[in-house]
Amino acid sequence: QLQLVESGGGLVQPGGSLRLSCAAARFTLDYYAIGWFRQAPGKEREGVSGISISGGSTKYADSVKGRFTISRDNAKNTVYLQMNSLKPEDTAVYYCAAGLYGSAWNHLLVSDFGSWGQGTQVTVSS
């Protein structure tokens, strides 16, 4: 079964940057669209960004557009989320997940993704 592991979270000041990684154990990510999601305390999990199987297409939530960049390196079996100009409202647990069908990356619906990682905490605070 595909297992995803997130890393790279931490505490950063407003305006700072972090790069999250989503790696797969024992299975290749080559055949999966990947999504990044986040969940803040008391709020529902929301889609942040998605990337197609080829990496040629991406999608971003309006709240992160222009600040976050998703990419994938299939040779390293890893998907990245580069987060710049971080704001306090970006504070959340960030999860990656694999799309249950090819175009799931373009919809970022929680129900269209599986094999969720355990999450990595991102805290933006001065």
Side-chain angles (χ1 to χ4, degrees), residues 87-109:
K87 305 175 181 180
E89 51 264 42
D90 294 318
T91 296
V93 178
Y94 283 70
Y95 302 88
C96 65
L100 298 177
Y101 58 95
S103 61
W105 63 273
N106 198 31
H107 305 285
L108 293 178
L109 298 176

Side-chain angles (χ1 to χ4, degrees), residues 48-66:
V48 174
S49 183
I51 190 166
S52 64
I53 293 172
S54 69
S57 298
T58 58
K59 184 177 178 69
Y60 298 94
D62 289 343
S63 58
V64 307
K65 209 170 286 184

Side-chain angles (χ1 to χ4, degrees), residues 61-113:
D62 289 343
S63 58
V64 307
K65 209 170 286 184
R67 300 187 297 123
F68 289 12
T69 303
I70 190 171
S71 62
R72 67 190 303 158
D73 185 339
N74 286 347
K76 294 184 178 180
N77 215 27
T78 302
V79 173
Y80 303 98
L81 185 68
Q82 177 67 43
M83 307 187 296
N84 298 329
S85 302
L86 283 162
K87 305 175 181 180
E89 51 264 42
D90 294 318
T91 296
V93 178
Y94 283 70
Y95 302 88
C96 65
L100 298 177
Y101 58 95
S103 61
W105 63 273
N106 198 31
H107 305 285
L108 293 178
L109 298 176
V110 172
S111 57
D112 290 343
F113 286 80

